[in-house]
Amino acid sequence: MHHAAAKWYDRRDSVFVEFCVEDSKDVQVKFDKNKFDFSCVSGTDNIKHQNTVELFGAIIPEESKHRRTDRSVLCCLRKEEVGKSWPRLTKDKAKCNWLSVDFINWKDWEDDSDEDLSSFDKFSDMMNSMGGDDLPDLDGAEEEHDSADSDDEKMPDLE
């Protein structure tokens, strides 16, 4: 038995754990209030993976679920205490060599007063609050593409 490599990230009401196993078969995930078990067989060599995770906080097993893809198994653990951040996935502070933080999906949501705004909306609101009346209108920029630009001038020969 091998541990499956996994990445995790925290959200306001859920914790996500992605087990990075390609071509998984016989996937079994069992959710309990304070832990969950994951097992599968993967690859052409039929390598058996098994992970048992004692969780930092309590989850609601009935509302937790998993989804298998060709490249991984993503588990969504529904937190019992919504709004409480998890500084780590595991109950113990000991580092697990098979577990890492998913920095691509990580979000520091504790500082967000309005989590429903998308990143684009936040960026737009920030730009609008900064003013910007002197910014050019870019709607017609593609129509002016034929006009000469200062960058289009011939460069002088090097000596």
Side-chain angles (χ1 to χ4, degrees), residues 4-11 14-24 27-31 36-40 63-78 89 99-102 104-106:
K7 304 182 287 187
W8 80 283
Y9 62 97
D10 185 30
R11 286 292 191 268
S14 302
V15 171
F16 294 88
V17 182
E18 182 177 17
F19 291 97
C20 306
V21 286
E22 293 187 17
D23 301 324
S24 59
V27 175
Q28 294 184 12
V29 183
K30 183 180 178 221
F31 299 106
F36 78 102
D37 294 303
F38 168 81
S39 65
C40 74
E63 294 182 20
S64 299
K65 52 191 167 230
H66 72 281
R67 185 184 74 215
R68 183 199 159 283
T69 66
D70 290 341
R71 300 185 60 91
S72 66
V73 177
L74 180 65
C75 300
C76 174
L77 313 174
R78 184 67 67 178
L89 178 66
L99 182 63
S100 63
V101 173
D102 185 350
I104 293 172
N105 289 307
W106 190 269

Side-chain angles (χ1 to χ4, degrees), residues 79-145:
K79 290 181 180 178
E80 191 173 84
E81 255 186 276
V82 174
K84 182 181 179 193
S85 69
W86 288 19
R88 60 184 178 277
L89 178 66
T90 59
K91 180 179 178 179
D92 296 329
K93 288 185 178 182
K95 173 121 174 83
C96 299
N97 60 357
W98 53 269
L99 182 63
S100 63
V101 173
D102 185 350
F103 287 108
I104 293 172
N105 289 307
W106 190 269
K107 180 179 177 184
D108 191 12
W109 53 264
E110 287 182 301
D111 298 335
D112 292 347
S113 58
D114 189 5
E115 189 181 11
D116 295 333
L117 280 178
S118 70
S119 297
F120 180 75
D121 290 337
K122 289 179 185 176
F123 179 75
S124 296
D125 289 348
M126 181 182 72
M127 291 303 288
N128 289 338
S129 68
M130 293 173 64
D133 293 336
D134 58 342
L135 293 176
D137 181 18
L138 299 178
D139 289 339
E142 292 173 2
E143 298 168 8
E144 300 173 15
H145 189 284

